[in-house]
Amino acid sequence: MTGIGDLTWDTLESYGFEREERPEGFVAPLADITALSSAGIAQLLAHYTEWANYAAYRLSDAESRQEEAARGLKVLTNQAALRATGEKTVAGRRAAASLDAEVQEAEEEAAQYAALVRSLKMLHENTLRRASVVSRELSRRQAEAQYVARESKWGAA
């Protein structure tokens, strides 16, 4: 992380939070979880939760970088517009600024961070949905086990 991101984490660490470490391996695809044991489902839920936490951490970093890039782009655009002394109108100065090489590089950087943020949001949401599916299956099994235990103790209702 840079700039704002580092400052933010310095503050959060003083509150007792730690930076998320990258989980081992890769995000597992969601397969037929009905074939897994309850312990296997619990492990899969922990796996998805770790990845969702890590994706949220990286998303936060990317959003901070995107904001920094947007501010940098605005500054460079304004500076380039001020240098465009040959233009008499605001629209002409803005057009001239958009042709500046530094401004174009900054626009590309901002666009890359915007794309990264969109991708990380999608990955974070997908991982949360996977964790939700696994959690529901685990809850369903626990409820079913309680019903079976009650039925065997008291007989069929």
Side-chain angles (χ1 to χ4, degrees):
M1 286 194 191
T2 60
I4 294 170
D6 284 332
L7 179 61
T8 301
W9 273 106
D10 289 344
T11 303
L12 290 173
E13 285 173 342
S14 74
Y15 296 159
F17 292 97
E18 292 182 2
R19 296 174 194 240
E20 292 290 331
E21 296 293 325
R22 184 186 187 279
E24 291 186 23
F26 297 93
V27 179
L30 187 59
D32 180 15
I33 58 175
T34 59
L36 294 174
S37 68
S38 291
I41 289 178
Q43 288 175 339
L44 190 58
L45 179 59
H47 171 80
Y48 286 138
T49 301
E50 285 177 341
W51 275 103
N53 292 346
Y54 182 68
Y57 168 69
R58 296 315 263 168
L59 176 59
S60 173
D61 177 47
E63 287 173 334
S64 293
R65 290 173 186 247
Q66 181 185 23
E67 290 171 11
E68 285 181 51
R71 276 192 304 279
L73 172 60
K74 187 174 182 176
V75 167
L76 287 173
T77 301
N78 289 339
Q79 288 172 344
L82 287 173
R83 286 192 306 268
T85 56
E87 299 295 330
K88 297 193 187 317
T89 64
V90 172
R93 285 179 178 242
R94 286 184 184 154
S98 70
L99 297 175
D100 184 83
E102 284 184 90
V103 171
Q104 289 177 347
E105 285 179 28
E107 285 175 340
E108 180 62 29
E109 181 184 22
Q112 288 174 354
Y113 280 120
L116 179 61
V117 165
R118 284 191 302 275
S119 297
L120 284 168
K121 280 182 182 177
M122 180 262 314
L123 291 170
H124 180 246
E125 290 169 5
N126 287 353
T127 306
L128 286 176
R129 281 193 291 273
R130 288 176 181 174
S132 179
V133 167
V134 173
S135 176
R136 282 193 298 273
E137 176 62 17
L138 193 57
S139 296
R140 184 192 67 77
R141 285 186 185 192
Q142 289 172 342
E144 186 177 84
Q146 290 171 353
Y147 178 78
V148 169
R150 224 179 7 255
E151 186 178 75
S152 66
K153 183 176 181 181
W154 301 105

